[in-house]
């Protein structure tokens, strides 16, 4: 028996066992009861009422952050150029439309409900860039396409070696979850064992088709009489555009005519330019709503990134234009204002209880005009970042979509869940540092920035960000948002958050010891201990503004004594 025949039989056997399990499971009452419980998970996204364009923006935001994570986690470490960005994004969008149509075909569910479920499930694509750096710790890996032996790779789940170029362990975990999710979704909607197996097989096949796209593209060129070549990324982008041109009309045709008309009508309602107003009251209101402590916090992180870049980029002192600091400050300021305003737009109910001085609560400015100003700030932030370099524009874009459309805005609005919003704030803190770093290092940012620095910055500010949950306690409790104070009670929540603050100061001390290796460890330990204790006390007794003040004083004391200790 040949190797290929043996692999084919093993593949048939694996899916036969899967089919048998699905058949037996769907015939038992216990399994059907469990599927009824899963209905809530599959149906919940369709109950989220928000503007259709926010679903599209949410998908784009998920894809952008996924591209950032992949780019930063891979061994090459060079910031991807614009054409590769297009290839990445088109790949995920094509995959999204294909899965939507496939699940529609099997489940007969409404295409809008399937699409909403898929948007909320698209976070499964984060598994490879998050898991692979841990699994391949210290070893080079790269996520790429299948270029040869497609049938063998298909039958053997991308080969037997975990270090193959095509599918890392993280990608294989991701595909297994895709197969499970597709099967469970169809099983829940149809209770048909054959369609359930077909959903699993089809999910695996769709994922493989896109990963093996170069093989199929070259085969098509050979059939048409062209040389079997495929230049990266131009022809990849071209082929994905052709696929999208086929998929999008079919996808839109799945909606009823009335739904399509409503979508295009609502598209003009997202931002109403006719409502734009400029007045002294509005300008003063926007300035007062800037939240200076947090703006200074992120601006400080950006300058911190520049400082690190000077240490790790030998040519920075000769190539960096000091005037770039001005657009960097303006870009971060406008990015922060954009994030603040998106948060305000969707947090009115919470702010009516916890932050009654906010402009929308006090009605100093109407919601439609506020949205227009947020769009202007978004554009201005990107313009000023683009004046620096492409890498800086990338970082500020990632920062804005993470802080706004993933953290604050529906339908995702991940700030509702325990610890997830703190992780997003940690990510945004890393992005602020990388933004500052990229103003100096440009496309070499990921290659030069030590990964353990990013990890510690993430942990420091993810832990420290729990402090804001104390201030928002009353509003979060009324609106059923899970935070430590609302879950554990205000008293116990404050104590645990205080412990997190102490831990964040300790991590900050360790990070400073890496950046300033000549700094006396005994003095650094003393400063860190004193400010960690103060951080705990102010967390329990005061508010987050006091914590920001302690953070600034701590950094000021440490940095102002650098020259003194070097002169000793």
């Amino acid at each position: 028996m040949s190797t290929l025949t043996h692999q084919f039989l093993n593949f048939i056997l694996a899916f036969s066992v899967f089919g048998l399990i699905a058949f037996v499971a769907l015939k038992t009452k216990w399994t059907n009861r469990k599927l009824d419980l899963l209905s809530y998970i599959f149906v919940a996204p369709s109950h989220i009422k928000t503007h259709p364009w926010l679903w599209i923006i949410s998908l784009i935001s998920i894809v952008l952050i996924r591209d950032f994570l992949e780019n930063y986690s891979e061994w090459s470490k060079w910031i991807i150029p614009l054409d590769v960005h297009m290839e990445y994004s088109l790949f995920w969008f094509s995959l999204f439309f294909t899965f939507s149509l496939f699940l529609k075909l099997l489940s007969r569910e409404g295409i809008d409900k399937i699409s909403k479920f898929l948007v909320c499930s698209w976070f499964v694509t984060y598994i490879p860039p998050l898991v692979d750096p841990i699994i391949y710790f210290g070893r080079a890996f790269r996520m790429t396409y299948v270029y040869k032996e497609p049938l063998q790779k298909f039958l053997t789940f991308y080969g037997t070696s975990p270090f193959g170029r095509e599918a890392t362990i993280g990608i294989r975990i991701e595909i297994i979850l895709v197969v499970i999710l597709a099967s469970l979704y169809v099983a829940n909607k149809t209770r048909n064992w054959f369609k359930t197996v077909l959903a699993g097989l089809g999910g695996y096949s769709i994922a493989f088709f896109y990963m093996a796209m170069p093989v199929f593209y070259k085969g098509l060129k050979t059939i048409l009489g062209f040389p079997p070549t495929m230049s990266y990324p131009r022809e990849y982008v071209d082929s994905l555009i052709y696929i999208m041109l086929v998929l999008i009309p079919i996808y839109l045709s799945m909606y009823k005519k009335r739904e399509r008309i409503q979508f295009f009508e609502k598209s003009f309602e997202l931002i109403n330019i006719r409502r734009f107003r400029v007045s002294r009251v509005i300008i003063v209101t926007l300035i007062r709503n800037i939240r200076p402590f947090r703006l200074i916090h992120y601006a400080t992180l950006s300058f911190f990134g520049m400082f690190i870049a000077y240490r790790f980029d030998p040519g920075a002192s000769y190539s960096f234009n000091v005037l770039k600091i001005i657009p960097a400050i303006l870009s971060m300021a406008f990015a922060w204002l954009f994030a603040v305003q998106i948060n305000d737009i969707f947090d009115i109910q919470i702010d009516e209880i916890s932050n009654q001085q906010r402009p929308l609560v006090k009605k100093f400015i109407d919601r439609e005009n506020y949205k227009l100003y947020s769009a202007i700030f978004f554009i201005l932030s990107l313009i000023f970042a683009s004046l620096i370099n492409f890498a800086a524009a990338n970082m500020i874009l990632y920062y804005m979509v993470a802080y706004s459309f993933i953290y604050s805005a529906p339908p995702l609005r991940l700030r509702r869940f325990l610890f997830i919003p703190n992780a997003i704030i940690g990510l945004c803190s890393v992005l602020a540092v990388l933004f500052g770093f990229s103003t100096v290092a440009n496309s070499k940012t990921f290659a030069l920035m030590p990964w353990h620095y990013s990890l510690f910055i993430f942990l420091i500010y993810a832990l420290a960000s729990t402090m804001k949950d104390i201030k928002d306690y009353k509003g979060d409790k009324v609106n059923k948002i899970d935070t430590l104070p609302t879950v554990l009670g205000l008293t116990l929540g404050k104590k645990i958050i205080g412990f997190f603050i102490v831990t964040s100061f300790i991590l900050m001390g360790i990070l400073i010891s890496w950046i300033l290796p000549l700094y006396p460890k005994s003095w650094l330990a003393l400063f860190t201990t004193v400010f960690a204790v103060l951080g705990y006390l102010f967390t329990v007794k005061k508010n987050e503004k006091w914590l920001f003040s302690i953070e600034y004083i701590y950094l000021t004391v440490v940095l102002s004594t650098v020259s003194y200790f070097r002169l000793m």
Side-chain angles (χ1 to χ4, degrees), residues 149-295:
E149 300 176 338
L151 183 57
Q152 182 187 15
K153 297 289 171 59
F154 179 80
L155 295 175
T156 61
F157 196 38
Y158 300 95
T160 56
S161 172
F163 304 106
R165 283 175 53 85
E166 294 85 1
T168 60
I169 294 175
I171 288 177
R172 298 182 201 201
I173 295 171
E174 174 191 18
I175 292 173
I176 289 171
L177 286 176
V178 166
V179 170
I180 293 172
L181 277 173
S183 301
L184 287 175
Y185 187 85
V186 172
N188 180 265
K189 299 298 179 183
T190 64
R191 306 301 167 98
N192 183 303
W193 74 271
F194 179 73
K195 287 186 175 181
T196 300
V197 176
L198 198 60
L201 179 60
Y204 175 70
S205 301
I206 290 169
F208 185 86
F209 168 78
Y210 279 97
M211 288 194 67
M213 191 178 63
V215 176
F216 297 111
Y217 184 83
K218 291 176 183 177
L220 180 62
K221 288 184 73 173
T222 302
I223 293 171
L224 296 175
F226 295 101
T229 58
M230 191 174 188
S231 64
Y232 184 85
R234 185 181 60 82
E235 288 190 87
Y236 287 73
V237 171
D238 291 344
S239 60
L240 288 167
I241 289 174
Y242 296 144
I243 291 173
M244 292 276 283
L245 290 174
V246 172
L247 292 175
I248 291 176
I250 300 173
Y251 176 85
L252 292 175
S253 69
M254 295 293 106
Y255 286 92
K256 296 176 182 177
K257 183 179 180 180
R258 178 178 54 84
E259 292 174 331
R260 291 198 298 270
I261 293 172
Q262 286 178 346
F263 171 77
F264 288 111
E265 287 176 347
K266 288 183 177 180
S267 297
F268 295 102
E269 297 173 3
L270 183 63
I271 294 181
N272 190 349
I273 300 176
R274 292 175 296 178
R275 299 292 295 274
F276 183 70
R277 299 289 184 274
V278 179
S279 69
R280 180 177 175 276
V281 174
I282 291 174
I283 299 301
V284 171
T285 298
L286 294 175
I287 293 172
R288 286 180 177 176
N289 196 44
I290 201 169
R291 302 176 202 177
F293 279 99
R294 294 195 191 183
L295 174 58

Side-chain angles (χ1 to χ4, degrees), residues 353-367:
I353 300 169
S354 301
N355 302 290
Q356 296 179 1
Q357 298 303 312
R358 295 284 161 81
L360 289 179
V361 177
K362 300 291 285 185
K363 298 183 179 179
F364 290 139
I365 183 173
D366 67 88
R367 193 169 183 265

Side-chain angles (χ1 to χ4, degrees), residues 391-403:
N394 267 317
M395 296 306 114
I396 210 67
L397 176 62
Y398 296 143
Y399 173 89
M400 288 192 288
V401 299
Y403 221 140

